[in-house]
Amino acid sequence: MPSGIPKEKQRQRAPSKRSLETRARIMDAAEQVFAAHGFDGASLRDIASEAGVQVALVNHHGGTKEELFWRVVARRADELSAARLKALAARKARGPLTLRSLLECFFGPYLEKAEVGGTHWFAYARLVAIVSADPRWRALTAHCFDPTANRFVSEICALYPQAPRQTISAGFVYSVSAMLALLTSRWRIGALGQGSSEISEHLDELVIYCAAGIDAAARR
Amino acid sequence: MPSGIPKEKQRQRAPSKRSLETRARIMDAAEQVFAAHGFDGASLRDIASEAGVQVALVNHHGGTKEELFWRVVARRADELSAARLKALAARKARGPLTLRSLLECFFGPYLEKAEVGGTHWFAYARLVAIVSADPRWRALTAHCFDPTANRFVSEICALYPQAPRQTISAGFVYSVSAMLALLTSRWRIGALGQGSSEISEHLDELVIYCAAGIDAAARR
DNA sequence: TTTTAAATTGAACAACTGTTAAAAATAAGG
DNA sequence: CCTTATTTTTAACAGTTGTTCAATTTAAAA
């Protein structure tokens, strides 16, 4: 019921470099294991051994299993939101916004990170998909993603003053789920299509798909 | 590795009426608990007590936990596929197909069942979302859903002869994920929008969204 | 009614779960 | 270097997990 990330109590000494490293190692391991097996399927012992560390140390650095999950999700969420808002601001300065450019500002940073940062951001995509689909993480979603999402929804609403916000937010949620499907379910796209499916090949298509969908829905 | 549903060995007597009832009760309970907590989060004891039954009886009727999951998913998948293909055939007999009518044939049966059948089909939607998002259930997806999905993808391809099948299958996967988002993430749509969001109110919008998206992507 | 295949119960199993507490090792701050 | 806050290790806890097996009850088939 309480949930959230408890603020760590006042320190009297700076954390050692080694401590910070193992903490990061634990977070990375947790991210990977949570992404692979979900919250319930992941065990703290799996995470510990993945990080090359004792079980108790995971609790020490991450707190409760649930707190650890929060931390892992929140960690990259901040970086991601910042990148998205930055892209949005830069684009806004370059002239009037279009729906497609808005979606590119939202999708772009993620997919760039996924292609550059490799494994980590891919695992994180699975994590976000898990969080987005489960009402159990409603509060976590509200805390990490809703502020930025709301911002983009509002921008889109400004482009379609006559459309009800509910319609826009629905279209936005569909679009996010489509993006997550691209990141997490390429195997399924491949199974129904033919040939390999690389992310970069599908990105433009995705933006076209989502933009056309939202536009059509917004025009009633 | 093996997985799948083992064929039950040759019986020498017909199952009693009571036996069939408890089996059905166990399947319903399993469906609900799996949908609420996911595969790992669900415990056989939860399922057993939900069905008002002993734990061992769950194994007796459902086999392994994994086999039970297969059975639960497969049970309604057959009914669903049949309804979709029937709707498709009926529509085809009434004249040339359009993209929107195709999507209505695919989405319609599910959402009708969800509105009529109530709880069961709603829980099942969450189940399908779980299955679709996790590569762990790749084989299950291939067995239960790919045949029908492939059929619809082919029909859409026929409408866009110049578009690569990969593009169509991607658009189709996006659309399915959007439909599942509507069924499982209405809370999120509500959080980003304003006012209550009823399924029926969003259904038409969903079809418009998906049809416009696929059409735009298919036209290059 | 009798036979006996099948359904149901009850109990136990070995393995694993998240979490805590105390002892030991480490290194920051003086 | 010395003190001691912090990190790491070790060990144990109280529950829960999926599954199995023998005993018991139920009811289909003769």
Side-chain angles (χ1 to χ4, degrees):
Chain A
M1 170 64 70
S3 246
I5 306 174
K7 45 189 149 192
E8 70 180 304
K9 59 186 176 189
Q10 179 82 12
R11 308 181 60 97
Q12 307 189 23
R13 285 185 190 174
S16 67
K17 198 174 80 177
R18 180 178 166 215
S19 161
L20 290 176
E21 284 173 358
T22 66
R23 173 170 298 217
R25 197 142 31 86
I26 287 173
M27 296 292 276
D28 287 344
E31 180 176 68
Q32 183 168 321
V33 176
F34 277 135
H37 301 102
F39 180 78
D40 291 303
S43 85
L44 294 186
R45 281 171 175 83
D46 283 350
I47 294 174
S49 83
E50 175 77 25
V53 142
Q54 223 69 18
V55 211
L57 204 51
V58 175
N59 283 111
H60 181 259
H61 282 288
T64 297
K65 187 184 183 185
E66 196 166 322
E67 288 168 2
L68 175 63
F69 190 77
W70 272 71
R71 279 187 228 270
V72 168
V73 172
R75 183 173 59 145
R76 294 197 199 278
D78 296 338
E79 179 183 346
L80 188 56
S81 289
R84 281 169 168 162
L85 293 175
K86 183 183 169 189
L88 176 60
R91 186 64 181 240
K92 251 190 159 176
R94 298 218 333 267
L97 288 171
T98 65
L99 178 54
R100 280 193 54 171
S101 64
L102 268 170
L103 290 175
E104 280 166 3
C105 290
F106 192 84
F107 293 156
Y110 202 124
L111 298 167
E112 281 171 22
K113 288 177 189 296
E115 290 205 344
V116 177
T119 338
H120 285 154
W121 283 94
F122 253 91
Y124 188 69
R126 293 198 48 75
L127 216 54
V128 175
I130 291 172
V131 168
S132 300
D134 198 333
R136 170 188 199 171
W137 304 114
R138 196 190 191 113
L140 178 55
T141 302
H143 178 262
C144 290
F145 303 114
D146 277 6
T148 300
N150 257 313
R151 177 68 198 284
F152 277 85
V153 168
S154 295
E155 293 287 353
I156 301 177
C157 282
L159 295 180
Y160 298 93
Q162 78 291 354
R165 186 180 176 95
Q166 196 77 288
T167 296
I168 302 297
S169 78
F172 189 76
V173 168
Y174 301 155
S175 300
V176 172
S177 84
M179 183 198 73
L180 293 174
L182 171 57
L183 285 165
T184 65
S185 304
R186 293 210 319 291
W187 53 278
R188 188 142 164 71
I189 296 177
L192 297 177
Q194 47 198 7
S196 76
S197 46
E198 281 302 314
I199 284 204
S200 52
E201 296 175 16
H202 283 296
L203 175 54
D204 289 339
E205 268 178 21
L206 175 68
V207 173
I208 292 176
Y209 173 95
C210 295
I214 293 178
D215 180 78
R219 292 181 191 282
R220 173 67 100 249
Chain B
M1 170 62 74
S3 245
I5 306 174
K7 44 190 152 191
E8 70 179 303
K9 58 186 175 189
Q10 177 83 14
R11 306 181 61 96
Q12 307 189 23
R13 284 184 192 175
S16 67
K17 197 173 79 176
R18 181 179 167 213
S19 162
L20 290 176
E21 283 173 359
T22 66
R23 172 170 298 218
R25 198 143 29 86
I26 288 174
M27 296 291 276
D28 286 344
E31 181 176 67
Q32 183 168 319
V33 176
F34 276 136
H37 301 102
F39 179 79
D40 291 303
S43 85
L44 294 186
R45 282 172 176 82
D46 283 350
I47 295 173
S49 84
E50 175 78 25
V53 142
Q54 221 70 18
V55 210
L57 205 50
V58 176
N59 283 111
H60 181 259
H61 282 289
T64 296
K65 188 184 182 185
E66 195 167 323
E67 288 167 2
L68 175 63
F69 190 76
W70 271 70
R71 278 187 229 270
V72 168
V73 173
R75 183 172 59 144
R76 293 197 201 277
D78 296 339
E79 180 183 345
L80 188 57
S81 289
R84 281 169 168 162
L85 293 175
K86 184 183 170 190
L88 176 61
R91 187 64 181 243
K92 251 190 158 175
R94 297 216 334 266
L97 287 171
T98 65
L99 178 53
R100 281 193 52 172
S101 64
L102 268 171
L103 289 176
E104 279 166 4
C105 289
F106 191 84
F107 293 156
Y110 203 159
L111 297 168
E112 281 172 22
K113 287 177 189 296
E115 290 204 346
V116 177
T119 338
H120 284 154
W121 283 94
F122 252 91
Y124 189 67
R126 293 198 46 75
L127 216 52
V128 174
I130 290 172
V131 168
S132 299
D134 198 333
R136 170 187 198 170
W137 304 114
R138 196 189 191 115
L140 178 56
T141 302
H143 178 262
C144 290
F145 303 114
D146 278 6
T148 300
N150 256 313
R151 177 66 198 285
F152 276 85
V153 168
S154 294
E155 292 287 353
I156 300 178
C157 282
L159 295 180
Y160 297 93
Q162 78 291 356
R165 186 181 176 94
Q166 196 76 289
T167 296
I168 302 297
S169 78
F172 189 76
V173 168
Y174 301 154
S175 301
V176 172
S177 83
M179 182 198 74
L180 292 173
L182 171 57
L183 285 165
T184 65
S185 303
R186 292 210 320 289
W187 53 279
R188 188 141 163 71
I189 295 177
L192 297 178
Q194 47 200 7
S196 75
S197 47
E198 281 302 314
I199 284 205
S200 52
E201 296 175 16
H202 284 295
L203 176 53
D204 289 339
E205 269 179 19
L206 175 69
V207 173
I208 292 176
Y209 173 95
C210 296
I214 292 178
D215 180 78
R219 294 182 190 281
R220 172 71 98 248

